[in-house]
């Protein structure tokens, strides 16, 4: 158990990995027709959603960079020693959107 805990502790992903995982999922969903209306990460990036949808289809790499910048403005990564959780505040409500463990980030807020 101690070895497993040590591995989990030393392989927690960085906040940058959390941003990139969210950006990848948002761009992928946007390129495939847009975010599901139940997605937690479904806010309008400063009124630029239409521009983002177009960019995601034409230049996914640039879209990822822009989404990561926007996500970075609200994303907070909470450290729980063996894992970490990314949260965003939207409409005054804090919501979990990512889980980081064993060097991987799993998005829970993008559909």
């Amino acid at each position: 158990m101690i070895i497993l805990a040590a591995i989990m502790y030393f392989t927690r992903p960085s906040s940058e990995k959390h941003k990139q995982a969210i950006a990848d999922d948002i761009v992928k969903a946007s390129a495939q027709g847009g975010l599901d209306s139940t997605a937690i990460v479904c806010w309008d990036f400063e009124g630029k959603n239409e521009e983002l949808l177009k960019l995601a289809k034409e230049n996914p790499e640039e879209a990822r960079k822009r989404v990561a910048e926007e996500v970075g403005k609200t994303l907070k990564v909470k450290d729980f020693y063996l894992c970490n959780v990314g949260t965003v505040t939207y409409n005054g409500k804090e919501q979990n959107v990512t889980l980081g463990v064993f060097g991987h980030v799993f998005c829970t807020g993008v559909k």
Side-chain angles (χ1 to χ4, degrees):
M1 293 295 270
I2 293 172
I3 293 171
L4 179 62
I7 291 169
M8 291 176 75
Y9 178 80
F10 289 110
T11 61
R12 290 167 299 159
S14 66
S15 60
E16 188 62 34
K17 280 193 173 186
H18 283 264
K19 284 193 294 190
Q20 288 304 318
I22 293 170
D24 289 345
D25 278 7
I26 288 175
V27 170
K28 185 176 10 171
S30 297
Q32 295 173 350
L35 293 171
D36 187 299
S37 62
T38 62
I40 294 171
V41 184
C42 191
W43 65 88
D44 186 5
F45 293 111
E46 296 179 3
K48 299 177 184 173
N49 272 359
E50 298 227 2
E51 181 182 330
L52 172 66
L53 288 172
K54 184 178 177 185
L55 187 60
K57 291 177 183 173
E58 295 172 359
N59 188 348
E61 197 53 43
E62 181 62 28
R64 276 186 194 85
K65 287 179 189 174
R66 298 215 12 229
V67 169
E69 281 178 24
E70 293 299 324
V71 167
K73 292 177 183 177
T74 60
L75 180 71
K76 292 182 183 141
V77 178
K78 296 179 181 179
D79 188 15
F80 294 102
Y81 300 108
L82 301 181
C83 66
N84 48 29
V85 175
T87 62
V88 295
T89 302
Y90 180 62
N91 288 335
K93 226 174 145 182
E94 190 174 88
Q95 300 175 21
N96 297 335
V97 292
T98 56
L99 169 67
V101 65
F102 292 115
H104 297 284
V105 177
F106 303 94
C107 291
T108 59
V110 181
K111 294 183 180 180

